[in-house]
């Protein structure tokens, strides 16, 4: 091959490698920069049956700041995690960063939300239980299937007889009917579900804190752009926090999810 042709061929190869190595430009409308996310269908007011809610609004606003467009696939939470691990989606939410998840997925530095979960009882029952260490073995505990409830709960989980369901309303009904001894529920989610079911908060004894921690958009190890997407989301979240948009979305309790 002629030297000039060989040089031109080498230059084209180097340019092709460079284009493949760079993240997609945010000014493009090509599908290559569309972020494919799994939105759980049963965690209102954060993400409801249509994938809408506080979490979704935060993600849209944050990615918009970096020029990215998220596309949401609404699924049960267990399916979100399955598709996340198999690489069918780039990311999924709302995932707690804890010992059981930190190596399974890729997390950014900035949490999407800070949430609290509590232990709920029927008022007047089990008065001696004031912390998780007081809960006896084989205690019937209602939880959402595949939810994360923090490392302290994980350390005691093997002692409980868990009743796993897919909807918050199911837990509330079972506790109300005495089919479980206690329930672990996220505070704002429980308030929302009770309101939707037209039940008074006083129906349960929100006795003690189970976990206070952060939830994230978790990205798949099988997505070649996962770390870059996590960085872009971090940037966007910091930008909407600085602009006050984050607090407006979070405090807008009157918005229908």
């Amino acid at each position: 091959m002629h030297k000039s042709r060989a040089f031109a061929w080498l230059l084209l190869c180097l340019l092709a490698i460079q284009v493949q190595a760079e993240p997609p430009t945010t000014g493009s409308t090509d599908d290559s920069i569309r972020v494919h996310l799994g939105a759980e269908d049963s965690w209102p007011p954060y993400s409801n049956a249509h994938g809408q809610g506080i979490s979704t609004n935060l993600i849209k606003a944050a990615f918009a700041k970096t020029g990215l467009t998220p596309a949401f696939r609404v699924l049960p939470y267990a399916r979100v995690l399955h598709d996340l691990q198999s690489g069918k989606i780039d990311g999924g939410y709302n995932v707690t960063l804890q010992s059981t998840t930190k190596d399974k997925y890729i997390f950014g530095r900035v949490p999407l939300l800070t949430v609290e979960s509590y232990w709920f009882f029927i008022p007047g029952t089990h008065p001696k239980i004031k912390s998780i260490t007081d809960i006896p073995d084989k205690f019937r505990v209602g939880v959402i299937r595949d939810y994360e409830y923090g490392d302290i709960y994980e350390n005691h989980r093997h002692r409980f007889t868990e009743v796993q369901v897919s909807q918050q309303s199911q837990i509330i009904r079972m506790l109300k009917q005495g089919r479980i001894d206690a329930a672990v529920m996220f505070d704002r989610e429980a308030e929302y579900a009770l309101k939707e079911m037209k039940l008074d908060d006083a129906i349960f004894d929100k006795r003690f804190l189970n976990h206070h921690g952060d939830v994230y958009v978790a990205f798949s190890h099988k997505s070649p752009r996962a770390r870059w997407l996590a960085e872009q989301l971090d940037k966007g979240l910091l930008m909407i926090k600085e602009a006050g948009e984050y607090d407006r979305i979070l405090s807008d309790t009157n918005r229908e999810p």
Side-chain angles (χ1 to χ4, degrees), residues 133-145:
T133 56
D134 296 330
I135 297 176
D137 293 352
K138 307 301 181 183
F139 207 68
R140 298 175 300 168
V141 180
V143 294
I144 299 293
R145 187 176 293 110

Side-chain angles (χ1 to χ4, degrees), residues 50-232:
H50 305 290
Q52 300 171 358
I54 294 171
S55 294
T56 306
N57 293 337
L58 290 173
I59 292 167
K60 286 180 179 178
F63 272 130
K65 293 295 185 183
T66 59
L68 297 175
T69 304
F72 300 96
R73 186 180 302 172
V74 184
L75 302 164
Y77 187 65
R79 180 61 185 275
V80 170
L81 298 183
H82 175 272
D83 287 1
L84 192 55
Q85 287 188 273
S86 65
K88 291 182 179 179
I89 51 179
D90 293 310
Y93 60 98
N94 308 282
V95 182
T96 301
L97 178 57
Q98 60 182 44
S99 60
T100 59
T101 61
K102 65 179 182 179
D103 295 325
K104 283 184 180 179
Y105 316 113
I106 292 171
F107 295 88
R109 296 178 295 102
V110 183
L112 184 63
L113 293 161
T114 299
V115 295
E116 293 181 340
S117 59
Y118 287 83
W119 283 84
F120 291 79
F121 297 80
I122 293 292
T125 63
H126 311 289
K128 294 183 179 180
I129 296 178
K130 297 181 180 178
S131 73
I132 195 169
T133 56
D134 296 330
I135 297 176
D137 293 352
K138 307 301 181 183
F139 207 68
R140 298 175 300 168
V141 180
V143 294
I144 299 293
R145 187 176 293 110
D146 289 318
Y147 267 25
E148 304 95 19
Y149 292 99
D151 286 332
I152 294 176
Y153 181 86
E154 289 296 331
N155 291 337
H156 289 266
R157 189 171 215 155
H158 67 282
R159 300 195 299 107
F160 307 141
T161 300
E162 282 190 340
V163 180
Q164 299 185 2
V165 296
S166 58
Q167 300 288 332
Q168 200 68 47
S169 57
Q170 293 172 281
I171 291 181
I172 290 172
R173 290 191 191 97
M174 287 191 300
L175 184 57
K176 185 171 176 285
Q177 295 165 2
R179 292 163 55 194
I180 54 177
D181 300 310
V184 181
M185 296 188 284
F186 287 92
D187 190 26
R188 194 162 181 178
E189 181 189 17
E191 289 177 5
Y192 185 95
L194 287 166
K195 183 178 179 181
E196 287 290 296
M197 297 171 73
K198 295 180 170 54
L199 295 173
D200 194 284
D201 290 354
I203 192 173
F204 296 137
D205 173 11
K206 188 174 76 173
R207 193 165 303 174
F208 57 87
L209 181 70
N210 172 70
H211 175 68
H212 173 94
D214 299 325
V215 296
Y216 291 76
V217 177
F219 293 94
S220 174
H221 280 286
K222 294 189 177 181
S223 171
R225 55 190 183 173
R227 296 192 185 280
W228 179 76
L229 289 174
E231 290 173 1
Q232 299 308 301

